[in-house]
Amino acid sequence: MEVVHLKNMINATLLELLPAQETPPSHLHQAMHYASLGPGKRLRPLLTLLAANVATDSHTLRMACVSELVHTASLILDDLPCMDDATMRRDRPCAHIRFSESTAILASTNLLNLAYGVIANCPNVDASTKVAVSAHLSHVIGSMGLVGGQIADLQNQPVGNKSEIEQLYHQKTGCLFEFSVVTGARLRGMGAEVIEALTRFARAFGLLFQLYDDMLDHSAFAQETGKDVQQDTAKTTLLSLYTPAEVRGALNDAQALAREQLRRAGHDDSLLAALVEQQFVTFNGAAQRLGS
């Protein structure tokens, strides 16, 4: 099944899950639609579907959309004036500019609330799986995950070594990738060994993705992002510590690790592996342009 078709199914499911725009409070629901259904890669729900062996039944699609709801909520908060003070997201004004700061905050809160509701109310998923997914999501969102990564990013305290930056990258990006692929594995009923391999894959893939984001933020080809750039110029990142050659070396090492963990999880020759390889081509292309 083509990725474009899967993305269309994801968008249709998101539309089903969101409250109708005309339902009161309509202004809030319009903001949720605006932030959630704008142009985007839908990478996280795609990871869930592909980790679940391209299952496209209604309950897998719903569970796959949980990560997109959380991701969108995090982007809304990340863009606020009290956070990164951004103006553009996904090639259009941020939610707090299109609506208001208060509406954006409440839309983000409601998206997080909706994510847990989707898990709890998902048909044809056993209770033990729902509990495991909910507990995992709580960890991913919390102070050891997205929230912790966000406050560390805002504080921008001096970083002692590269491993601390990699941990920050995992909190900011990798942990939600982890949730996405592990959720797919849980829906397939896979065991602890597969989940462990996918967890390691997500850490490597998250590092790659965040390093790519750093390259876009710092480079002349940043128009590819569809969002504000030069946001991290005063922050310590792997890109600020590495030479261009070291960046390419780090990408190669992380890609090798990601491939190995996908193989261990039984995804060495799958649509999930193919999607990841497509992302690697993009990452490597950006790295080749560094310093050029």
Side-chain angles (χ1 to χ4, degrees), residues 6 21 35 39 42 46 61 63 77 79 87 101 106 120 151-152 163 165 207 233 253 256 271 276:
L6 291 176
Q21 294 189 72
R42 307 292 185 256
L46 280 172
L61 278 164
M63 293 289 261
L77 294 179
D79 290 338
T87 60
E101 288 183 42
L106 292 172
I151 196 164
S163 65
I165 300 178
L207 187 151
T233 52
D253 291 345
L271 288 177
V276 169

Side-chain angles (χ1 to χ4, degrees), residues 212-230:
Y212 171 66
D213 192 67
D214 289 345
M215 287 188 280
L216 291 181
D217 187 77
H218 283 76
S219 303
F221 49 92
Q223 62 268 21
E224 298 175 16
T225 65
K227 62 180 181 179
D228 292 25
V229 296
Q230 302 296 319

Side-chain angles (χ1 to χ4, degrees), residues 12 41 78-79 88 93 191 204 215 243 258 283-284:
K41 293 183 284 291
D78 189 49
D79 290 338
M88 297 293 294
M215 287 188 280
T243 66
F283 300 160
N284 292 334

Side-chain angles (χ1 to χ4, degrees), residues 57-133:
D57 48 86
S58 61
H59 70 271
T60 305
L61 278 164
R62 285 170 171 260
M63 293 289 261
C65 286
V66 167
S67 61
E68 188 68 17
L69 295 172
V70 173
H71 177 55
T72 301
S74 72
L75 295 181
I76 293 173
L77 294 179
D78 189 49
D79 290 338
L80 289 171
C82 62
M83 302 283 186
D84 281 355
D85 195 17
T87 60
M88 297 293 294
R89 173 69 67 176
R90 293 174 171 172
D91 287 317
R92 58 184 187 173
C94 296
H96 67 271
I97 292 176
R98 172 62 178 80
F99 294 88
S100 67
E101 288 183 42
S102 56
T103 301
I105 292 169
L106 292 172
S108 176
T109 303
N110 207 32
L111 286 169
L112 291 173
N113 179 61
L114 178 59
Y116 282 103
V118 170
I119 297 170
N121 296 316
C122 198
N124 302 321
V125 177
D126 62 85
S128 61
T129 300
K130 291 180 181 180
V131 169
V133 172

Side-chain angles (χ1 to χ4, degrees), residues 1-287:
M1 184 175 294
E2 293 185 0
V3 169
V4 172
H5 183 56
L6 291 176
K7 287 177 65 175
N8 289 337
M9 297 178 75
I10 290 165
N11 287 333
T13 304
L14 284 169
L15 186 60
E16 292 175 2
L17 294 174
L18 293 168
Q21 294 189 72
E22 62 272 14
T23 301
S26 58
H27 194 64
L28 174 66
H29 294 154
Q30 288 166 15
M32 293 170 65
H33 278 251
Y34 178 86
S36 301
L37 297 174
K41 293 183 284 291
R42 307 292 185 256
L43 180 57
R44 291 152 190 83
L46 280 172
L47 290 174
T48 299
L49 293 179
L50 297 180
N53 202 24
V54 202
T56 55
D57 48 86
S58 61
H59 70 271
T60 305
L61 278 164
R62 285 170 171 260
M63 293 289 261
C65 286
V66 167
S67 61
E68 188 68 17
L69 295 172
V70 173
H71 177 55
T72 301
S74 72
L75 295 181
I76 293 173
L77 294 179
D78 189 49
D79 290 338
L80 289 171
C82 62
M83 302 283 186
D84 281 355
D85 195 17
T87 60
M88 297 293 294
R89 173 69 67 176
R90 293 174 171 172
D91 287 317
R92 58 184 187 173
C94 296
H96 67 271
I97 292 176
R98 172 62 178 80
F99 294 88
S100 67
E101 288 183 42
S102 56
T103 301
I105 292 169
L106 292 172
S108 176
T109 303
N110 207 32
L111 286 169
L112 291 173
N113 179 61
L114 178 59
Y116 282 103
V118 170
I119 297 170
N121 296 316
C122 198
N124 302 321
V125 177
D126 62 85
S128 61
T129 300
K130 291 180 181 180
V131 169
V133 172
S134 295
H136 192 183
L137 185 60
S138 176
H139 178 80
V140 163
I141 292 175
S143 59
M144 304 304 292
L146 294 174
V147 170
Q150 180 72 5
I151 196 164
D153 199 43
L154 291 170
Q155 290 174 337
N156 191 31
Q157 295 177 345
V159 178
N161 52 56
K162 293 174 183 177
S163 65
E164 292 181 5
I165 300 178
E166 290 180 3
Q167 176 59 24
L168 175 61
Y169 283 8
H170 180 67
Q171 289 178 281
K172 291 174 60 176
T173 304
C175 65
L176 196 51
F177 286 150
E178 176 190 320
F179 172 81
S180 300
V181 291
V182 168
T183 296
R186 284 192 166 115
L187 292 173
R188 286 180 61 200
M190 303 306 293
E193 185 175 344
V194 170
I195 289 176
E196 181 180 355
L198 288 174
T199 298
R200 291 175 178 170
F201 155 76
R203 181 173 284 272
F205 190 66
L207 187 151
L208 288 162
F209 199 89
Q210 191 59 48
L211 186 53
Y212 171 66
D213 192 67
D214 289 345
M215 287 188 280
L216 291 181
D217 187 77
H218 283 76
S219 303
F221 49 92
Q223 62 268 21
E224 298 175 16
T225 65
K227 62 180 181 179
D228 292 25
V229 296
Q230 302 296 319
Q231 294 285 86
D232 296 333
T233 52
K235 299 176 182 178
T236 302
T237 66
L238 286 183
L239 194 63
S240 68
L241 299 179
Y242 284 151
T243 66
E246 288 172 330
V247 169
R248 290 188 280 272
L251 285 170
N252 289 335
D253 291 345
Q255 287 171 15
L257 177 58
R259 291 188 182 105
E260 172 61 17
Q261 296 308 316
L262 282 181
R263 186 194 66 78
R264 289 174 179 267
H267 282 286
D268 50 331
D269 185 21
S270 66
L271 288 177
L272 175 58
L275 176 68
V276 169
E277 290 298 329
Q278 289 177 0
Q279 295 296 314
F280 289 171
V281 170
T282 301
F283 300 160
N284 292 334

